[in-house]
Each structure stands twice: as C-alpha cells, then as structure tokens.
Amino acid sequence: MGQRVTVGKVTDIPEGAVAVVTIGKKDVAIFNVNGKLFAIDDMCPHMGASLSGGAVEDGCVTCPWHAWRFRLADGVWADSPRVKIGSYPIHIVGDEIQLEVPE
C-alpha cells in the first residue's frame, strides 16, 4: 500500500470532466466517468501528449495525438497489454479525493 495524497474535493471534478494534479514531478489525470473517478498518468508514453485532452469512450481515453487508447481502470494500452502507464487507486474520504501513490 502506498501513501495517500489529498488532491481535491469530489465536487471539483463533475461528471464527464477531467482534472490534472501534480504529485511530485508527475502529472496525473483524474477522470469522472458516470460518477466514478479514475486516475492515470497524464502523459502518453508514445510521444508525450497529455491524455487529459483525449476523448473518453468505453472505459478508455484516446491520446489526442496518435490515437493510442488507455484503459482508465488500470492504465493498460488497449491495443497491446505489454504497455502500461501509471494507474492510481482513488479513495473518497468525506468529500476529499485521495490518490494512493507509491512511497
């Protein structure tokens, strides 16, 4: 289990929205899809595009530059499970959003 970091309030990310938070030196995108929150690295490993600007469909976000699709639930590249970006458990404590990040 990692360290929990409070990154905002539940009301900060309405349904259908995405927010980017910086944890250490890493940007993490938090997506609200149908009232469920998902947190993954905000950088596509292919060419470095921000995934927070991508379209979300069927549980995946599509990189806006070259259409690589990553599953929101676990950060796995939908077209090749060998490639994976960081994915972070989210905990709701009261009205706060907490990300679980490695120590």
Side-chain angles (χ1 to χ4, degrees):
M1 185 162 136
Q3 161 188 353
R4 289 188 185 188
V5 177
T6 299
V7 295
K9 297 191 179 296
V10 174
T11 56
D12 293 340
I13 310 171
E15 191 169 317
V18 61
V20 177
V21 298
T22 302
I23 307 292
K25 295 182 181 181
K26 183 176 289 222
D27 287 339
V28 176
I30 303 172
F31 296 84
N32 184 334
V33 179
N34 298 323
K36 183 164 173 58
L37 298 175
F38 301 92
I40 60 172
D41 288 342
D42 188 38
M43 187 178 80
C44 179
H46 175 225
M47 299 267 316
S50 171
L51 294 174
S52 62
V56 175
E57 185 176 27
D58 297 328
C60 293
V61 61
T62 301
C63 176
W65 287 3
H66 299 106
W68 286 31
R69 298 175 315 121
F70 294 90
R71 295 191 312 224
L72 295 174
D74 58 10
V76 170
W77 182 25
D79 299 319
S80 176
R82 294 181 314 236
V83 177
K84 184 178 186 309
I85 59 174
S87 172
Y88 308 93
I90 292 182
H91 304 275
I92 305 300
V93 179
D95 65 345
E96 292 184 337
I97 300 169
Q98 295 181 352
L99 293 186
E100 188 176 317
V101 297
E103 301 220 21

